[in-house]
Amino acid sequence: MGPGPSDVHPRVLRAMSTPLVGHLDPSFIDIMNEVQELMRYTFRTDNQWTIPVSGTGSASMEAAIGNLVEPGDTMLVPTNGYFGGRMESMAERAGGNVVHVDAPWGEPLDTADVQEAFDEYQPDVFGFVHAETSTGVKQPHVQELTSIAHDHDALVVADTVTSLGGVELEVDDWGIDVAYSGPQKCLSCPPGASPLTLNDRAMDKVLSREEAPRSWYLDLSLLEGYWGEDRAYHHTAPITNVYAIREALRLVAEEGIENRWDRHRNVASALKAGVEAMGLGLNPEDEYWLPSLNAVLVPDGVDAGEAIDYVLEHYDLEIAGGLGALAGDIFRIGCMGYSAKPQNVSFLMTALGEALEAQGADVDVDAGFAAMREELNQ
């Protein structure tokens, strides 16, 4: 129950035991088609260019940024979390000029600040993190951000690593040009084949570049041959990981994407109610609380690392601490995919309460349990 990976669904594990076939075998091409269609459903998009990138979520992130940002382009990136910094690094490696829109760690971007940054810098590409794994913050008012970008003829790249399949996300309706994700969070799938979607406007820019992207492996103009209509060899796909993500996406479709969003919110709401009644706070405000990744404030006098070690040693339960500016200040507790279950929240409350009491923290575990049960019973 940390920031990922989440527990893998048993059906996904079984799918991974399916015998291998060739990456151009007709049966595998059928699987590729199904994966792409299921991925469009989960992203809420009709984008033709919707594929699983062979690699972890950082590979789909680099495929997005490394193809979209050309040498000399200006990319606007956020400073309100760890993964905005990773966007910056990738854009610089692609030859782009990076400018910033600032917000404190643990807060979302302000629309007015984004407008001001666009007016000042006139960027070609704007990146934002929809669900910031390092801070537990969900970016609200996404349509306002994309409207500002499009008014300045810029393309929008969204990091949806901790939101896809668990938190409301509407790629087409919200005007997102490119979105990337990872399978190991709310999809409860092992890393190795990572979702990426681009609309026609973004793909037109990729295909009209004057200079080839610096990565051959992640060059989308070459991957077009494999994941497009030709199904021509580019590289050997991670067959087992494609089996896995197909089964994970099937589970999303069977549950229904809206129902899945509701489940994540309902289970995480019980966790939120429980830790707050216990006497702990959450870092983000309710408006931008991220159900899939809960940033619980560490009480005064408690060593976060010791508490994390305690729940792992005594309960075999994984949670994580803060990163960067929030290191030592928060616990990062995931409610993702197959792990987003009431029994997991109950187990967590026991483990965390005991770990905090072991350090003398003033917490009311009984009140936390009562609030958690009440929320689950609603």
Side-chain angles (χ1 to χ4, degrees):
M1 294 192 72
S6 61
D7 287 340
V8 176
H9 195 285
R11 276 177 48 183
V12 175
L13 293 174
R14 286 196 296 272
M16 295 179 73
S17 68
T18 303
L20 294 184
V21 295
H23 54 278
L24 293 174
D25 187 284
S27 65
F28 189 68
I29 289 173
D30 289 340
I31 290 171
M32 292 168 69
N33 292 334
E34 187 176 352
V35 167
Q36 288 181 278
E37 194 58 36
L38 288 165
M39 203 171 283
R40 291 183 187 105
Y41 170 76
T42 305
F43 269 124
R44 306 281 277 194
T45 185
D46 293 325
N47 290 344
Q48 175 188 354
W49 281 101
T50 303
I51 67 171
V53 175
S54 299
T56 64
S58 292
S60 62
M61 180 181 192
E62 190 148 31
I65 296 171
N67 280 272
L68 211 62
V69 176
E70 300 181 66
D73 279 355
T74 297
M75 184 171 182
L76 178 65
V77 303
T79 63
N80 61 334
Y82 181 87
F83 291 96
R86 185 169 295 184
M87 281 186 174
E88 176 173 3
S89 178
M90 289 183 179
E92 288 177 341
R93 286 169 182 257
N97 304 311
V98 174
V99 294
H100 303 103
V101 54
D102 295 322
W105 277 52
E107 294 185 16
L109 299 178
D110 185 270
T111 305
D113 292 337
V114 173
Q115 179 70 66
E116 184 177 330
F118 264 93
D119 292 341
E120 179 177 357
Y121 300 119
Q122 300 296 322
D124 303 285
V125 180
F126 168 49
F128 75 94
V129 182
H130 181 227
E132 177 54 76
T133 316
S134 65
T135 64
V137 168
K138 180 182 67 174
Q139 179 65 48
H141 315 306
V142 171
Q143 286 176 286
E144 295 180 20
L145 301 185
T146 60
S147 293
I148 293 168
H150 293 156
D151 286 346
H152 289 75
D153 200 29
L155 291 163
V156 178
V157 180
D159 180 319
T160 66
V161 170
T162 308
S163 56
L164 181 67
V167 177
E168 183 182 6
L169 172 66
E170 300 277 1
V171 166
D172 285 358
D173 286 352
W174 292 355
I176 295 169
D177 298 298
V178 181
Y180 60 83
S181 192
Q184 76 278 11
K185 308 274 188 173
C186 298
L187 298 181
S188 285
C189 178
S194 299
L196 172 67
T197 187
L198 301 88
N199 63 19
D200 289 343
R201 181 167 172 252
M203 201 61 192
D204 286 346
K205 186 176 193 300
V206 171
L207 297 177
S208 64
R209 290 177 60 116
E210 294 183 3
E211 181 179 317
R214 296 182 178 179
S215 170
W216 177 91
Y217 184 68
L218 298 174
D219 184 342
L220 291 174
S221 69
L222 300 179
L223 289 173
E224 174 192 21
Y226 184 55
W227 284 101
E229 293 181 0
D230 293 341
R231 300 301 190 200
Y233 172 68
H234 174 262
H235 69 278
T236 302
I239 308 296
T240 299
N241 290 100
V242 176
Y243 292 160
I245 199 166
R246 178 179 69 156
E247 196 63 25
L249 293 167
R250 280 174 159 175
L251 289 162
V252 173
E254 289 172 15
E255 184 175 3
I257 189 66
E258 295 91 348
N259 293 334
R260 195 175 180 93
W261 295 338
D262 289 343
R263 172 169 62 84
H264 279 76
R265 173 169 284 277
N266 292 340
V267 173
S269 292
L271 169 63
K272 182 174 182 289
V275 295
E276 288 177 340
M278 190 188 292
L280 308 178
L282 265 74
N283 185 57
E285 301 290 336
D286 286 347
E287 182 187 4
Y288 41 92
W289 164 62
L290 176 58
S292 52
L293 197 286
N294 296 269
V296 178
L297 293 172
V298 177
D300 291 340
V302 168
D303 184 296
E306 287 186 17
I308 291 165
D309 291 344
Y310 186 99
V311 299
L312 183 61
E313 178 182 352
H314 293 271
Y315 287 90
D316 198 27
L317 177 67
E318 179 186 304
I319 61 174
L323 296 174
L326 296 179
D329 294 336
I330 60 171
F331 299 115
R332 291 185 298 148
I333 301 174
C335 278
M336 301 180 188
Y338 189 58
S339 296
K341 297 186 283 191
Q343 58 266 42
N344 283 6
V345 172
S346 179
F347 187 52
L348 170 76
M349 292 287 293
T350 299
L352 183 60
E354 188 175 300
L356 296 176
E357 288 179 330
Q359 293 193 47
D362 183 16
V363 292
D364 190 337
V365 178
D366 290 340
F369 261 96
M372 176 198 69
R373 286 195 298 266
E374 182 178 353
E375 188 69 26
L376 287 173
N377 290 332
Q378 289 184 358

